[in-house]
Amino acid sequence: MKLCDREWYDLMAQFEKQFRHEGRLDREASSIWPKRRYYQDGRVNDLFIAFTAGYALGTSVERLEHSGE
């Protein structure tokens, strides 16, 4: 998954749907995203970083499971 591709925006939309009550979901400018700053609210940003780590782990496990078939 790359920053600013369709999968990335889908992941952000899912995060915002699930965590809509956790704080401000104002996004940073996409030019700042390479610095791991995605949301203006620092706590929400930390939650998103954890969310993306879980997503990456899940997709890796899924690939490993399917590679053994």
Side-chain angles (χ1 to χ4, degrees):
M1 174 177 52
K2 296 180 182 179
L3 287 178
C4 300
D5 69 2
R6 182 69 192 164
E7 184 179 15
W8 180 260
Y9 283 108
D10 288 347
L11 185 65
M12 290 186 95
Q14 184 61 38
F15 171 80
E16 290 169 3
K17 183 178 177 183
Q18 286 183 242
F19 292 87
R20 65 185 176 273
H21 300 296
E22 296 299 325
R24 287 183 27 240
L25 296 173
D26 302 321
R27 294 180 183 178
E28 291 284 4
S30 60
S31 60
I32 299 174
W33 292 353
K35 297 178 183 178
R36 295 175 49 102
R37 293 288 305 155
Y38 311 105
Y39 292 93
Q40 293 176 4
D41 182 321
R43 183 175 166 280
V44 170
N45 195 70
D46 290 344
L47 285 171
F48 183 67
I49 290 170
F51 188 81
T52 59
Y55 177 80
L57 177 62
T59 56
S60 295
V61 168
E62 183 180 15
R63 280 190 210 115
L64 286 173
E65 289 175 352
H66 289 296
S67 68
E69 292 178 359

